[in-house]
């Protein structure tokens, strides 16, 4: 009875989240139509532009279409769920690591594990399950002496690889979790972070072009109704605010792409157990700018490569300042 009620509750939550995501996507589509439509309606030279500069209006229309396609493509993409990685490895749909034994140590009220299981105990338990290879592989990604309490999800009981976090909106564990984007209605993770960055870039270019059209329309020395100028000023102010937000967002995500970080790791660095002892200026998962960009944009197996936490000796070596030899040898790249 309890399991069936929990399943029904989870189903209701997923249906509600799906309806909310559809509503948000419709709202984003409507905002694009309103902003782009308002610019052309307020432009008294629209007929001349269509006949005199068809290539200019055509390119703008193509950009609008590409931006909307990229938005829906990103919104419908998979961020990289742990459960999908396990399925790809011909494993079970979840790793429970002897749920019967863990249930004795868990709190029935909040589901947290009260007493941590040692690495040796977890390894012994995992050998009794069909997913022992997954548990063993994940254990090897963490530093020796790590507690299973830190890397076992308290919600879905999945053994999480490093850089993984459970998303409460998606109700799944996401690889290289960055954040849950409410405007896209999905998580941003390892497999769709590059698509998200491209979408922000296209949206920023579209916003710049739309603002330029709006300014050009306001500067025209022609007779037009006063309310058109008033609406044009309000529209331009809104576009400038959106542009500032998009530009800062694009610069920030470009930085974390170059350094192989995530928004969650930057915001919660002191709360992530395997990052607590890492010096502030050290980027533990960075492999250099060139390799970071390749893994971010071009890796064909992206989403199924699990990153291990570097050993303490390597982190201490990275804490040293760059020398002239390091720069010549492109240590930073």
């Amino acid at each position: 009875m309890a399991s069936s009620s929990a399943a029904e509750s989870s189903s209701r939550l997923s249906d509600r989240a799906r309806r909310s995501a559809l509503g948000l996507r419709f709202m984003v589509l409507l905002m694009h139509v309103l902003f782009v439509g308002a610019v052309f309606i307020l432009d008294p030279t629209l007929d001349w532009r269509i006949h005199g500069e068809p290539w200019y209006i055509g390119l703008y229309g193509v950009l609008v279409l590409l931006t909307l396609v990229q938005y829906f493509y990103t919104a419908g993409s998979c961020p990289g769920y742990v459960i999908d990685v396990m399925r790809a490895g011909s494993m079970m749909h979840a790793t429970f690591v002897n749920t019967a034994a863990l249930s004795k140590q868990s709190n029935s009220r909040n589901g947290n594990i009260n007493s941590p299981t040692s690495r040796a105990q977890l390894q012994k338990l995992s050998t009794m399950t069909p997913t022992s290879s997954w548990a063993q592989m994940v254990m090897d990604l963490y530093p020796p002496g790590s507690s299973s309490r830190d890397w076992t999800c308290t919600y879905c009981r999945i053994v999480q690889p490093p850089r993984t976090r459970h998303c409460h909106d998606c109700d799944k564990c996401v690889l290289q979790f960055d954040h849950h984007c409410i405007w896209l209605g999905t998580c941003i993770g390892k497999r769709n972070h590059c698509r998200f960055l491209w979408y922000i870039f296209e949206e920023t270019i579209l916003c710049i072009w739309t603002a330029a059209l709006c300014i050009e329309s306001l500067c025209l020395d022609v007779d037009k109704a006063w309310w058109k100028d008033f609406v044009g000023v309000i529209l331009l102010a809104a576009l400038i605010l959106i542009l500032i937000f998009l530009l800062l967002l694009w610069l920030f995500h470009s930085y974390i792409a170059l350094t192989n970080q995530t928004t969650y790791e930057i915001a919660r660095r002191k709360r992530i157990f395997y990052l607590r002892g890492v010096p502030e200026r050290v980027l533990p998962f960075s492999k250099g700018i060139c390799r970071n960009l390749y893994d971010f944009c071009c890796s064909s197996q992206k989403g199924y490569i699990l990153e291990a936490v570097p050993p303490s000796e390597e982190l201490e070596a990275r804490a040293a300042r760059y020398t002239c030899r390091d720069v010549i040898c492109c240590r930073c790249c």
Side-chain angles (χ1 to χ4, degrees):
M1 291 293 291
S3 61
S4 62
S5 61
E8 291 176 0
S9 176
S10 177
S11 177
R12 286 196 298 268
L13 288 175
S14 62
D15 291 341
R16 190 182 309 164
R18 192 179 299 110
R19 289 195 298 268
S20 176
L22 290 175
L24 286 170
R25 292 169 189 176
F26 176 76
M27 185 184 301
V28 171
L29 178 62
L30 183 62
M31 287 176 61
H32 281 80
V33 173
L34 290 177
F35 273 87
V36 175
V39 169
F40 284 103
I41 291 174
L42 297 174
D43 189 355
T45 62
L46 178 60
D47 293 337
W48 178 84
R49 283 181 176 276
I50 294 175
H51 295 90
E53 298 177 347
W55 59 270
Y56 187 81
I57 301 299
L59 285 177
Y60 181 76
V62 169
L63 179 60
V64 174
L65 181 61
L66 284 177
T67 303
L68 290 175
V69 169
Q70 185 68 31
Y71 169 78
F72 286 105
Y73 178 57
T74 307
S77 62
C78 175
Y81 298 117
V82 175
I83 197 168
D84 294 333
V85 182
M86 298 170 66
R87 288 170 181 169
S90 299
M91 300 178 184
M92 284 181 62
H93 293 184
T95 302
F96 289 91
V97 191
N98 201 341
T99 309
L102 287 175
S103 62
K104 298 178 182 179
Q105 305 174 12
S106 62
N107 190 319
S108 59
R109 182 175 182 180
N110 55 21
N112 293 329
I113 300 177
N114 294 326
S115 58
T117 308
S118 66
R119 175 181 290 264
Q121 289 173 334
L122 180 59
Q123 184 174 358
K124 182 178 179 181
L125 290 173
S126 63
T127 56
M128 297 184 289
T129 66
T131 56
S132 59
S133 57
W134 170 259
Q136 181 61 52
M137 180 177 64
V138 172
M139 281 191 291
D140 293 338
L141 298 175
Y142 286 98
S146 300
S147 170
S148 66
R149 180 178 181 179
D150 295 318
W151 33 273
T152 301
C153 179
T154 57
Y155 296 94
C156 49
R157 292 290 185 263
I158 286 178
V159 179
Q160 298 177 332
R163 315 190 73 182
T164 302
R165 184 177 183 269
H166 184 89
C167 176
H168 298 282
D169 296 284
C170 299
D171 197 26
K172 292 181 181 179
C173 291
V174 181
L175 288 170
Q176 204 164 318
F177 176 84
D178 188 87
H179 70 285
H180 184 89
C181 182
I182 58 173
W183 293 107
L184 292 169
T186 187
C187 277
I188 304 301
K190 189 174 182 65
R191 299 202 67 187
N192 64 352
H193 202 165
C194 182
R195 301 170 190 174
F196 176 72
L197 185 61
W198 274 110
Y199 164 66
I200 299 174
F201 175 74
E202 294 173 14
E203 197 74 73
T204 303
I205 299 300
L206 177 61
C207 193
I208 293 173
W209 201 335
T210 306
L213 289 174
C214 188
I215 293 173
E216 190 175 354
S217 175
L218 291 172
C219 293
L220 288 175
D221 189 15
V222 295
D223 293 333
K224 52 185 174 181
W226 65 269
W227 62 268
K228 288 189 176 182
D229 285 338
F230 179 74
V231 173
V233 171
I234 294 178
L235 181 66
L236 180 61
L239 285 171
I240 291 175
L241 291 176
I242 295 173
L243 176 59
I244 293 173
F245 172 76
L246 287 173
L247 191 58
L248 292 176
L249 188 64
W250 179 74
L251 290 174
F252 174 73
H253 279 275
S254 298
Y255 164 73
I256 63 178
L258 292 173
T259 55
N260 195 12
Q261 299 184 86
T262 64
T263 303
Y264 177 73
E265 290 172 347
I266 293 177
R268 301 294 182 92
R269 183 171 179 129
K270 294 182 179 180
R271 297 184 60 180
I272 301 175
F273 75 96
Y274 53 82
L275 296 180
R276 289 171 188 164
V278 180
E280 290 290 337
R281 61 188 301 269
V282 174
L283 307 174
F285 298 103
S286 178
K287 308 176 187 69
I289 295 175
C290 296
R291 181 60 187 274
N292 291 340
L293 279 179
Y294 174 79
D295 290 343
F296 186 81
C297 301
C298 307
S299 178
S300 59
Q301 296 182 345
K302 184 171 56 178
Y304 300 105
I305 298 178
L306 306 179
E307 296 182 78
V309 179
S312 57
E313 296 80 7
E314 181 179 342
L315 295 176
E316 292 175 1
R318 292 188 188 181
R321 295 184 179 275
Y322 288 128
T323 62
C324 294
R325 182 179 179 183
D326 294 329
V327 175
I328 295 173
C329 296
C330 299
R331 177 188 165 194
C332 60
C333 299

